[in-house]
Amino acid sequence: MNAIDDQGTGHLTDIPLIELGAAGPTALASVEPGRYADILHNGLAHYGPLALGLGDKLSRHWLERTDNPYREEIAAIAEAADRPGTYLLNLSYEWTCTTGAGPDSSGTGCRMLRTLDWPLSGLGRDVVVARQHTLAGETLNITWPGFVGVATAMAPGRFAAALNQPPMRRWTRSCWFDWLINRGRLASQRALPPPHLLRRVFDHCHDYAEARAMLTETPIAVPAFFTLTGLEPGQACVIERQEDQAAVHDGPGAITNHWLAFATPGRSRGIDSQGRLSMMRDVRDRAAGNFDWVKPPILNETTRLAVEANAATGTLRVLGLEADGVATRVFSLAPEPAVN
């Protein structure tokens, strides 16, 4: 059974298409205050008031110390909320994902299939598609009010891309000590966090080649996996990133949450990363385009988002999920038929 076999329609919400024009995440938080408040409420329930408050302070300090280019946007969103959570949630890089890239089964262009997993409630029902006009062109950002980075997006006529998280680096026998060591290493970094680099790519890159170069060559604050698709069936790659190194796998390809090229000791993330990778490799090129591929183990209790994107055709489909199942109706955007 896949994610939408028995979804029904009565209890489901619609995923809105928000027209932001040249405005950005600050405007999105103002346009959708209810969704933004729900995300902050669930962040408080997930982390607890002590951790949320401390995490907010540390995250704000790091953004200011590194002169992060998006810190003022985050500050404006946090000030409007008048409650903790905005800083921490913008730097909470704790999701796990399954992503595949290869020729579209329709025969036109290259397609990205993507799920995002995170136990934080609300990400499925509160997801939006924000249409923005950037310096490089139109971007459809699958995102949440209050989030200034990019995790999954499509730029019609340019490319589509998504971000996955690698394993947490292992230094000791203790998971908590490893977490502290990794956070300490992050404190010494001044480069962009991966979601901010992906935003820069969509804001400034005009085509697949420019996006690939920026994702491969730009230093980042913590390791990341990027999946990128272009306009031609063969334009696809998975990019494994260390802070200042990259391993590029030309597509068709897939990635979940374990290293493929680097022998970096790490603690596994998510549910059955190996199984999800194997399944994505199997279904990637033959999926029909109706979320028929969103099945266990790709589908699990932490899955919050499923996306199908083809930048060549401009086709985008998005589905929000929560722990108890499908949370939204399918958002579908397709190119308008030509008029003779």
Side-chain angles (χ1 to χ4, degrees):
M1 180 178 295
N2 68 13
I4 58 175
D5 280 339
D6 295 315
Q7 66 169 317
T9 57
H11 68 290
L12 305 180
T13 61
D14 290 319
I15 298 173
L17 175 63
I18 310 296
E19 301 285 356
L20 290 180
T26 305
L28 179 58
S30 299
V31 170
E32 291 285 345
R35 294 175 190 269
Y36 176 34
D38 189 50
I39 290 169
L40 290 178
H41 172 78
N42 286 296
L44 178 63
H46 183 76
Y47 289 103
L50 181 62
L52 192 72
L54 178 60
D56 242 27
K57 292 179 180 179
L58 293 174
S59 299
R60 179 176 182 174
H61 175 73
W62 186 83
L63 289 166
E64 292 173 348
R65 185 180 61 78
T66 60
D67 199 25
N68 183 278
Y70 306 116
R71 68 190 185 284
E72 292 183 1
E73 291 183 7
I74 298 174
I77 294 170
E79 183 177 1
D82 195 28
R83 58 190 293 188
T86 298
Y87 286 98
L88 175 62
L89 290 176
N90 266 282
L91 292 183
S92 279
Y93 180 37
E94 303 295 342
W95 54 72
T96 58
C97 309
T98 305
T99 312
D104 197 309
S105 60
S106 69
T108 303
C110 197
R111 180 176 61 178
M112 181 178 73
L113 304 180
R114 150 72 153 196
T115 57
L116 182 147
D117 299 346
W118 198 14
L120 183 67
S121 299
L123 295 183
R125 64 176 174 267
D126 290 325
V127 68
V128 305
V129 178
R131 182 165 17 218
Q132 302 167 260
H133 298 287
T134 70
L135 294 173
E138 176 186 335
T139 293
L140 293 163
N141 188 10
I142 300 96
T143 188
W144 302 271
F147 184 59
V148 309
V150 170
T152 312
M154 181 182 79
R158 292 191 286 152
F159 50 82
L163 168 66
N164 289 32
Q165 187 178 30
M168 182 172 69
R169 281 181 173 137
R170 182 190 296 269
W171 305 97
T172 72
R173 293 183 178 180
S174 167
C175 179
W176 293 109
F177 282 155
D178 286 348
W179 186 88
L180 290 172
I181 292 170
N182 286 313
R183 286 293 166 174
R185 288 170 60 90
L186 173 62
S188 66
Q189 292 287 335
R190 301 187 65 86
L192 288 173
H196 294 180
L197 173 58
L198 197 54
R199 174 175 170 181
R200 177 171 288 182
V201 166
F202 277 94
D203 285 351
H204 295 281
C205 294
H206 294 86
D207 56 32
Y208 173 85
E210 288 186 7
R212 175 177 167 137
M214 185 174 286
L215 290 172
T216 302
E217 299 168 6
T218 306
I220 53 177
V222 294
F225 299 149
F226 297 104
T227 302
L228 177 68
T229 60
L231 305 183
E232 301 299 325
Q235 284 187 321
C237 65
V238 169
I239 304 169
E240 294 184 87
R241 282 297 314 272
Q242 304 273 10
E243 288 86 347
D244 54 3
Q245 300 180 69
V248 181
H249 309 271
D250 287 316
I255 193 74
T256 50
N257 303 104
H258 58 273
W259 294 102
L260 302 179
F262 290 99
T264 302
R267 298 186 179 276
S268 61
R269 294 191 191 272
I271 296 171
D272 193 7
S273 181
Q274 293 281 358
R276 287 184 284 118
L277 179 65
S278 177
M279 182 176 180
M280 177 55 76
R281 286 172 170 168
D282 180 56
V283 304
R284 178 194 59 226
D285 298 335
R286 57 184 175 83
N290 58 359
F291 297 109
D292 58 326
W293 52 276
V294 185
K295 301 176 181 179
I298 290 177
L299 175 65
N300 57 74
E301 62 264 29
T302 67
T303 304
R304 298 291 176 263
L305 182 66
V307 177
E308 302 174 347
N310 183 326
T313 63
T315 302
L316 177 68
R317 289 166 59 84
V318 183
L319 182 67
L321 304 104
E322 294 291 339
D324 58 354
V326 173
T328 71
R329 299 179 184 89
V330 173
F331 172 95
S332 184
L333 188 67
E336 296 181 359
V339 178
N340 295 326

